[in-house]
Amino acid sequence: MAKNLLIVESPAKAKTIEGYLGKDFTVKSSYGHIRDLVKSEDAIDIANNFKQKYEVPADKKQVVSELKKLAKEAEMVWLASDEDREGEAISWHLYETLDLKDTHTKRIVFHEITKPAILKAIDTPRKIDYNLVNAQQARRVLDRLVGFELSPVLWKKIKPSLSAGRVQSVAVRLIVDREREINKFKSEAAFKIVAIFGRGKEAFKAELPERFAKQEEAEKFLHDCIAADFDIKSLETRPTKRSPAAPFTTSTLQQEASRKLGYSVARTMQVAQRLYESGYITYMRTDSVNLSELALNSAASEIVSAYGEKYHQQRRYKTKNASAQEAHEAIRPTYFNNHSIDGESAEKRLYELIWKRAIASQMSEAQFEKTTAKIGISTRSEDLVANGEVMKFDGFLKVYLESKDDEDEPQQDGENAILPPLTKGQRLALQEMSATERFSRPAARYTEASLVKKLEELGIGRPSTYAPTISTIQNRGYVVKEEREGKQRNFRVLTLKAGSIVKEEKTENTGAERGKLFPTDIGAVVNDFLVQYFKDIVDFNFTASVEKQFDEIAQGMKEWTAMLHDFYNPFHKEVESTIEKADKATGERELGIHPESGKKVSVRIGRFGPFVQVGESATEENEEKPLYASLRSGQSIETISLEEALELFKLPKVVGEYEGKVMKVAIGRFGPYISHNSAFVSLPKEIDPHDVTEEQAIELINLKRKKDAEKLIKSFDEDPDVKVLNGRWGPYIEFGKLNVKIPKDKDPLTLTYEECKALADATPKDAKKGRFGKAAAAAKPAATKAPAKKKAAPKKK
């Protein structure tokens, strides 16, 4: 048995490290956390200084058992979990759960999985840092308290099964606020003037810096230019430089992988994790832009070797974020001479992005010569401006150019890649001039990457929280990431050419969205409820101050239980007050009066989602039931109009005939469907019931018949309710309300009615219809209450 047991978090990392250490080391994985807070209400004992109650989950019991056995046999146990707070907490949990002793335990950390880094870590062990553990404990406890106490409030005041979280609720608020800002935005039109001078290769563009609010003003400008002379009024040429971006942090990697590779934040982190565990890159959860001396020297050597001395320029970047935690290195390749790696396509692409960004950060500035020409107009006081830029030395651009978000300003029409030779006073020949109507744009909706950028700017969350936060708000149904089609919009163009002005009306598509985050109706209602009753939870400054306090705990500057008391006491009072005083929140909005019935039309959130209601709810005096209709995809209770709402009540509707029978589209308890000849066919989610065509309906009916025919193996004349069917997990017998398993020694094709009956009789009579006749009773969720109040905080060991 090896003298040393080294425990890391993942099996991939264990495999990589095992190759670096000799036979004296056994390297094993804990597969992440080996224990967590119990799921019950007594997980945190508030009265006893937030003492936690932990348990080893069922799927980790075998791992813990094996690690305990190996730890007892080893002379020394090395805890080598990740170097951040979460990793420190994992080491602490291992220390406690495996009953380790101080004298036989060492904690090591490393920023990259290379042989020199591992051997250096072994040479410089330390003890568990309880400041980091306490910071992680504080975050875990606070987030559990918020979730456990807020969720029941939402169940009572909005609808069941909702949940809330500290950082997640702030992220939802950002998205809701942005959506409302966009909905309120009134676009303003103005005319942009662009002129083209010269012909062929000598042609270039110039733009009027000002815009005209009215068509008459733009038209007058063009008219004045018909007989005008144009000449170069001034010509300025100056050198400019462009510097490379800093190496990647977690958030900038997520942003750039989204822009350049189209990866979601979660996917970026999954791929980066694999690269790190394989020893290709340094640790991928960091908010530092610093590079070590070794990295700087390695990058310099590679740049000089691959591109030459003039391409190298050493830079030391400083992290702007004052609260940056665990300020280690930026994300970089472990070996700069590896320009590419073997692996899956996603890993290769992300590695190449990391390599290029890191190497470019140590390369020379790109040098340009920028020329600005002001063009005078003899008949007007304004000047046109033309810009041109010529690259004199590519520098870091030989390797890498940082991308921009789509909300950034596009290139101006007056900018040219290069201007032809020009001289001051030179007379110019106008080829054509246009005045194009352009519309102001609202702030862009968030992408996953731009949301991460905003959270980081506000000081909310940390490198380890961005990806789970964005996944959580989507999984909870508060936010959706989707594509939406734009709308056609007309715009006017006036063109001056050959002495005359031509007016045209053109069409453009506007408002199309790809991969943007939209708040759902339930997300907006929950947000408004939290803003009204729990201001601190969704306050940006407050949430950022909580993050700073976690940082202070990590640095040993603040006592973690005192911080929790400061947070919890006022928060708990808000919970109690809200349960007692707050009204039920539905987001209800009155749209108007039904033009035919004269009844009120309103929209709100219900148990099964947003819906429109015509009429008042039934009472003893008024027994007439109201009409209900669910909203269509893309519709919102905040923006739907009365006319759009009334359209929803046009179902059920006839969409045609098939085989001499009418086909109707309707919405039932389980969603939209087509009815035909007493049969019902569910509509797929991607098909809007209001837009179903006759051809689509026929296709869906035939598809359902085909599936039903393939599903049926055998039926019986003795009882039509007994069938042998093909199911998801293989053939089974449907015997009335029972689903009955077929023994392995029975052939489904040769089963007789008597054999089916005998198998059904052997199935428990109280079994509900479910897979293989087993009782398909829905698991009841455990009642969730505020954590109970018990014992003292864990002591340092």
Side-chain angles (χ1 to χ4, degrees):
M1 182 63 212
K3 294 178 183 178
N4 298 280
L5 171 65
L6 189 143
I7 305 173
V8 292
E9 290 179 38
S10 76
K13 196 189 295 184
K15 188 177 179 184
T16 308
I17 293 172
E18 203 159 35
Y20 299 144
L21 300 172
K23 59 181 183 352
D24 286 343
F25 277 83
T26 296
V27 184
K28 290 292 179 181
S29 167
S30 69
Y31 294 86
H33 279 280
I34 58 160
R35 68 175 185 177
D36 195 8
L37 292 170
V38 296
K39 298 287 189 284
S40 57
E41 60 198 50
D42 61 344
I44 300 160
D45 188 351
I46 295 153
N48 274 326
N49 241 10
F50 301 97
K51 180 175 173 60
Q52 302 108 62
K53 189 175 179 181
Y54 289 102
E55 66 179 352
V56 176
D59 62 341
K60 290 296 178 71
K61 288 188 185 297
Q62 190 175 340
V63 173
V64 169
S65 178
E66 184 192 3
L67 291 176
K68 265 189 176 179
K69 180 176 179 293
L70 292 170
K72 279 183 181 177
E73 294 171 355
E75 292 178 14
M76 184 63 67
V77 177
W78 302 77
L79 301 176
S81 51
D82 288 342
E83 58 180 342
D84 54 14
R85 295 174 196 168
E86 202 74 22
E88 205 69 25
I90 288 174
S91 281
W92 175 67
H93 285 304
L94 284 165
Y95 183 91
E96 297 272 312
T97 309
L98 303 182
D99 299 319
L100 302 178
K101 304 298 178 202
D102 246 8
T103 51
H104 300 291
T105 308
K106 290 181 179 178
R107 168 79 170 118
I108 60 169
V109 293
F110 37 84
H111 186 64
E112 60 189 53
I113 303 175
T114 60
K115 189 170 183 177
I118 303 302
L119 295 179
K120 184 181 177 183
I122 295 286
D123 288 339
T124 55
R126 61 171 173 82
K127 298 294 183 184
I128 291 171
D129 185 337
Y130 282 92
N131 289 329
L132 294 180
V133 172
N134 289 338
Q136 193 274 343
Q137 296 281 82
R139 178 187 288 279
R140 185 75 184 90
V141 168
L142 192 148
D143 287 347
R144 170 63 76 90
L145 290 171
V146 170
F148 261 55
E149 297 215 3
L150 266 190
S151 297
V153 178
L154 299 180
W155 302 345
K156 289 177 183 176
K157 301 301 180 181
I158 302 177
K159 72 170 201 170
S161 302
L162 294 177
S163 57
R166 189 178 54 85
V167 177
Q168 295 94 320
S169 296
V170 174
V172 172
R173 183 180 182 181
L174 283 168
I175 294 164
V176 170
D177 287 352
R178 178 61 58 87
E179 191 67 22
R180 287 174 177 163
E181 184 185 342
I182 292 167
N183 290 336
K184 287 177 185 174
F185 183 80
K186 301 294 182 190
S187 186
E188 294 179 355
F191 285 82
K192 181 169 73 172
I193 306 291
V194 177
I196 301 175
F197 294 100
R199 296 191 178 277
K201 291 181 179 179
E202 299 291 302
F204 66 95
K205 287 182 180 180
E207 183 179 336
L208 186 72
E210 303 85 12
R211 296 194 179 190
F212 295 111
K214 296 178 181 177
Q215 179 177 333
E216 295 77 19
E217 294 171 338
E219 191 171 352
K220 172 132 187 0
F221 183 89
L222 295 187
H223 190 272
D224 289 348
C225 289
I226 292 175
D229 293 326
F230 301 91
D231 57 36
I232 303 294
K233 193 171 178 180
S234 68
L235 199 60
E236 182 189 351
T237 301
R238 68 184 191 279
T240 61
K241 295 178 181 180
R242 196 177 302 169
S243 298
F248 282 130
T249 61
T250 302
S251 76
T252 55
L253 175 65
Q254 290 168 350
Q255 291 165 51
E256 195 73 341
S258 172
R259 298 177 192 126
K260 274 191 159 68
L261 308 179
Y263 291 178
S264 69
V265 166
R267 188 183 185 199
T268 296
M269 294 313 290
Q270 288 163 3
V271 177
Q273 179 92 29
R274 294 201 296 269
L275 291 174
Y276 169 63
E277 291 175 352
S278 301
Y280 291 129
I281 64 169
T282 52
Y283 193 53
M284 67 287 153
R285 292 190 185 94
T286 176
D287 46 17
S288 171
V289 290
N290 178 52
L291 291 178
S292 66
E293 284 297 328
L294 176 64
L296 292 172
N297 294 334
S298 299
S301 174
E302 190 56 33
I303 292 164
V304 172
S305 168
Y307 308 109
E309 187 72 47
K310 65 178 181 177
Y311 278 93
H312 175 247
Q313 182 181 334
Q314 190 179 93
R315 287 184 186 79
R316 297 178 189 274
Y317 294 91
K318 289 188 178 179
T319 305
K320 292 177 184 176
N321 182 2
S323 62
Q325 72 174 57
E326 291 89 61
H328 299 290
E329 276 195 272
I331 303 169
R332 62 162 176 84
T334 49
Y335 298 105
F336 280 95
N337 59 340
N338 289 339
H339 293 215
S340 60
I341 59 162
D342 295 327
E344 295 177 7
S345 172
E347 292 170 6
K348 287 179 176 179
R349 295 177 74 200
L350 192 66
Y351 177 83
E352 183 183 7
L353 190 68
I354 292 166
W355 184 88
K356 284 181 174 180
R357 175 82 164 223
I359 208 86
S361 76
Q362 299 303 307
M363 291 178 72
S364 304
E365 295 168 326
Q367 295 173 11
F368 298 87
E369 186 176 83
K370 185 165 186 175
T371 302
T372 301
K374 285 189 178 180
I375 300 164
I377 309 165
S378 62
T379 55
R380 299 283 299 199
S381 61
E382 302 97 333
D383 294 330
L384 296 164
V385 177
N387 291 305
E389 195 173 63
V390 178
M391 184 188 291
K392 294 294 186 180
F393 175 61
D394 55 0
F396 76 93
L397 292 176
K398 194 172 193 71
V399 173
Y400 180 82
L401 174 62
E402 186 179 18
S403 296
K404 300 285 185 186
D405 288 316
D406 59 3
E407 56 260 42
D408 292 336
E409 277 298 308
Q411 179 174 298
Q412 298 299 307
D413 283 331
E415 290 183 2
N416 303 270
I418 187 169
L419 287 174
L422 299 171
T423 57
K424 187 176 178 181
Q426 180 182 340
R427 184 67 58 90
L428 299 174
L430 178 68
Q431 185 187 137
E432 69 174 56
M433 185 182 287
S434 63
T436 306
E437 188 177 24
R438 286 288 171 245
F439 298 86
S440 57
R441 299 186 302 170
R445 289 183 174 89
Y446 288 107
T447 61
E448 286 190 359
S450 64
L451 181 61
V452 165
K453 184 179 180 181
K454 186 65 176 178
L455 289 170
E456 187 182 40
E457 285 173 2
L458 292 170
I460 295 165
R462 288 296 180 261
S464 60
T465 64
Y466 301 135
T469 294
I470 287 172
S471 296
T472 299
I473 61 176
Q474 292 178 67
N475 294 339
R476 286 179 175 172
Y478 294 156
V479 170
V480 291
K481 182 171 77 171
E482 59 187 23
E483 297 183 8
R484 292 195 180 174
E485 292 181 3
K487 295 178 182 177
Q488 294 296 306
R489 177 171 66 188
N490 294 332
F491 67 99
R492 294 165 287 176
V493 181
L494 286 67
T495 306
L496 165 60
K497 195 169 185 177
S500 63
I501 298 171
V502 176
K503 299 177 185 177
E504 296 175 276
E505 190 163 281
K506 296 184 178 182
T507 304
E508 64 183 354
N509 192 47
T510 182
E513 301 281 24
R514 286 189 61 203
K516 295 295 179 70
L517 298 174
F518 295 82
T520 62
D521 283 320
I522 192 64
V525 170
V526 169
N527 173 72
D528 291 349
F529 184 84
L530 294 177
V531 168
Q532 184 176 355
Y533 294 104
F534 297 93
K535 293 184 179 70
D536 284 348
I537 292 296
V538 286
D539 180 81
F540 305 135
N541 293 328
F542 178 81
T543 308
S545 77
V546 170
E547 295 288 356
K548 285 180 183 174
Q549 290 179 69
F550 291 148
D551 294 337
E552 289 169 2
I553 294 167
Q555 293 158 21
M557 297 163 58
K558 197 174 187 77
E559 208 284 312
W560 72 285
T561 55
M563 177 262 178
L564 287 176
H565 279 297
D566 289 344
F567 175 91
Y568 179 76
N569 294 335
F571 168 69
H572 184 65
K573 285 177 185 174
E574 282 184 329
V575 169
E576 291 179 329
S577 171
T578 304
I579 288 174
E580 183 185 338
K581 298 176 182 176
D583 295 327
K584 198 167 177 66
T586 62
E588 183 170 1
R589 188 167 71 92
E590 192 170 325
L591 301 178
I593 301 299
H594 196 289
E596 294 170 13
S597 67
K599 293 178 180 177
K600 184 178 87 171
V601 181
S602 60
V603 62
R604 69 175 187 271
I605 287 283
R607 189 169 182 178
F608 302 107
F611 67 93
V612 176
Q613 177 176 323
V614 176
E616 302 287 351
S617 299
T619 61
E620 288 184 11
E621 296 79 24
N622 176 28
E623 294 184 4
E624 189 178 353
K625 291 183 179 179
L627 299 173
Y628 303 103
S630 296
L631 268 62
R632 300 170 70 172
S633 175
Q635 288 182 327
S636 163
I637 61 175
E638 294 194 16
T639 57
I640 190 171
S641 66
L642 176 63
E643 293 71 25
E644 289 167 335
L646 295 177
E647 280 288 316
L648 301 174
F649 291 91
K650 292 186 176 178
L651 294 179
K653 70 174 182 179
V654 173
V655 292
E657 285 191 8
Y658 182 46
E659 298 173 341
K661 302 284 184 181
V662 167
M663 297 181 293
K664 278 186 182 178
V665 178
I667 297 179
R669 185 180 172 190
F670 303 106
Y673 65 89
I674 300 164
S675 66
H676 173 256
N677 195 23
S678 301
F680 302 93
V681 181
S682 294
L683 276 178
K685 283 183 180 178
E686 62 271 15
I687 296 181
D688 191 309
H690 297 267
D691 300 333
V692 176
T693 63
E694 184 176 31
E695 292 74 21
Q696 281 178 314
I698 293 169
E699 185 182 343
L700 289 166
I701 289 167
N702 288 334
L703 186 64
K704 174 81 162 46
R705 287 177 180 176
K706 184 171 180 286
K707 282 185 179 177
D708 288 346
E710 290 171 353
K711 184 179 179 182
L712 181 67
I713 296 174
K714 194 170 187 180
S715 60
F716 301 94
D717 293 335
E718 294 93 328
D719 187 345
D721 286 340
V722 178
K723 302 181 187 77
V724 181
L725 302 171
N726 243 324
R728 186 176 171 187
W729 292 283
Y732 67 99
I733 302 163
E734 185 179 87
F735 203 99
K737 293 185 177 181
L738 285 178
N739 284 356
V740 182
K741 186 176 181 178
I742 299 172
K744 288 182 180 178
D745 59 345
K746 299 280 186 183
D747 182 355
L749 284 168
T750 61
L751 282 171
T752 63
Y753 174 75
E754 287 72 23
E755 286 175 312
C756 291
K757 188 172 185 305
L759 289 168
D761 289 341
T763 302
K765 299 298 178 199
D766 60 347
K768 296 182 182 178
K769 188 169 181 176
R771 186 187 172 200
F772 301 148
K774 291 177 184 177
K780 257 189 172 179
T784 311
K785 302 175 189 172
K789 307 184 176 182
K790 285 185 191 167
K791 306 171 191 175
K795 291 180 182 174
K796 299 181 183 182
K797 296 203 174 185

